[in-house]
Amino acid sequence: MTSLPLGTNVRSAVPLAGYTTLRLGGPAARFVAASTSAEVVEAVRDADRAGEPLLVLGGGSNVVVGDDGFDGTVVHIASEGTHIDTAAPGEVQLTVEAGANWDVVVAGTVSAGLGGLECLSGIPGLVGATPVQNVGAYGVEVSQLLVSVDLLDRASGEVRTMTAPELGLGYRTSVLKGTDRAVVLRVRFMLTDDGLSAPVRYGELARVLGVEPGDRVPVADARAAVLDLRRGKGMVLEPGDYDTWSAGSFFTNPIVPETMVGELMARTGDGVPIYPAHEGHRKVSAAWLIDQAGFTKGFAGPGGRVSLSTKHTLALTNRGSASTEDLLELARTVRDGVYDAFGVTLRAEPVLIGCEL
């Protein structure tokens, strides 16, 4: 393996299970902790110059790492820091380093009376990952708030800025997802400063808050309600709760052609939840399909070492002694079962490193 000029913060054979929310994954041949954006840039450039396989790892909340680990260099982004600028009357621009903990940042905006991010409370991971997969929950997506990102272009080795429109943001995706051509260094969001949330768009959240869709509420109220809803589904990380040893929602809600909706309705009756999507398509609830295909909450995989969460069928969980292959076997069982029942193919949301479905 090529020797890299990475300094003294390089370790060997570091188990990646300690850096993922699934607590799964074999060792990294080399592991570099980068605590500033400059260190991130240096480590990535060094690995690229050496022709070394590279994995850039953030909070580990949206990755599944194979049991054999990663035979290359892992750069763990640990940069932190925030900055707020007045942008216009009633608006501020929040700039955040990529290695900041996402929920800590959201909590900070709520404490400061800034509105926009509160419905994204409780989501694990780091800030740098949010634009890559256009993180969304409870009626809000990052795309609605994102201004721009600074990133390292690995092809040129240069740091540059991309605006939100240039990122091609869509449902749980962007031009950065599924590619390793760039590394996000910092992110900018446009928020309101009147202490009120974004308009409440999600029906379940509106009911909990006792408001009508479109209403705004104090940001602290919205955050508290979202956290309660997520805890009820095992979607807030708790070290002692195996239901939270997951990568969040393992499957995305499938987008199907409108022409397929009639067939789905015929197979399922009127019960299947269907939502708007882009022209000529509709979004179908993956959780509903999984449940109706016979995979209910707590459905166990190999040896009971993995299971669907007991609170939420979309989360595949490590029950404390699993391997990555155990998890993937359960994922294949669910995926194939849903296809057999409904003719719809579920696709994994996490990034698969050194493994495949």
Side-chain angles (χ1 to χ4, degrees), residues 52-299:
E52 178 82 356
L54 176 67
L55 170 62
V56 178
L57 186 64
S61 62
N62 198 51
V63 295
V64 180
V65 179
D67 293 317
D68 291 336
F70 186 74
D71 188 19
T73 296
V74 172
V75 175
H76 183 232
I77 298 182
S79 54
E80 296 186 6
T82 61
H83 185 75
I84 297 175
D85 295 293
T86 300
E91 292 185 321
V92 299
Q93 179 172 284
L94 174 70
T95 302
V96 192
E97 295 299 302
N101 179 288
W102 173 254
D103 193 53
V104 170
V105 170
V106 174
T109 65
V110 169
S111 295
L114 304 179
L117 299 180
E118 58 284 335
C119 287
L120 303 179
S121 292
I123 295 175
L126 305 185
V127 168
T130 60
V132 175
Q133 62 194 69
N134 188 19
V135 164
Y138 295 102
V140 174
E141 290 185 338
V142 161
S143 59
Q144 298 161 2
L145 305 156
L146 188 69
V147 176
S148 64
V149 302
D150 291 343
L151 51 77
L152 171 64
D153 185 323
R154 293 180 62 190
S156 66
E158 298 300 316
V159 174
R160 63 189 182 95
T161 299
M162 288 186 72
T163 64
E166 292 174 315
L167 289 171
L169 298 161
Y171 174 64
R172 302 299 179 269
T173 195
S174 71
V175 297
L176 301 177
K177 186 170 181 178
T179 176
D180 58 2
R181 68 186 187 187
V183 179
V184 175
L185 301 174
R186 64 186 58 84
V187 186
R188 299 178 187 87
F189 303 98
M190 191 65 67
L191 307 178
T192 58
D193 65 358
D194 60 1
L196 296 178
S197 70
V200 177
R201 300 181 179 92
Y202 198 80
E204 182 183 22
L205 180 60
R207 287 192 297 273
V208 168
L209 288 167
V211 300
E212 295 296 319
D215 287 350
R216 301 177 71 201
V217 301
V219 285
D221 293 353
R223 174 172 167 81
V226 167
L227 288 174
D228 283 346
L229 286 169
R230 290 184 65 87
R231 286 192 184 98
K233 299 173 183 178
M235 303 296 276
V236 176
L237 292 180
E238 301 286 353
D241 182 359
Y242 291 137
D243 275 338
T244 71
W245 289 31
S246 76
S249 297
F250 194 90
F251 295 106
T252 59
N253 291 322
I255 306 294
V256 302
E258 283 184 344
T259 54
M260 192 177 183
V261 172
E263 179 184 346
L264 268 177
M265 297 293 283
R267 289 196 187 198
T268 65
D270 294 333
V272 56
I274 296 176
Y275 308 98
H278 56 275
E279 185 177 355
H281 292 76
R282 293 291 183 266
K283 181 166 62 177
V284 182
S285 168
W288 191 93
L289 293 174
I290 291 168
D291 185 77
Q292 295 299 306
F295 305 106
T296 55
K297 297 172 186 176
F299 179 89

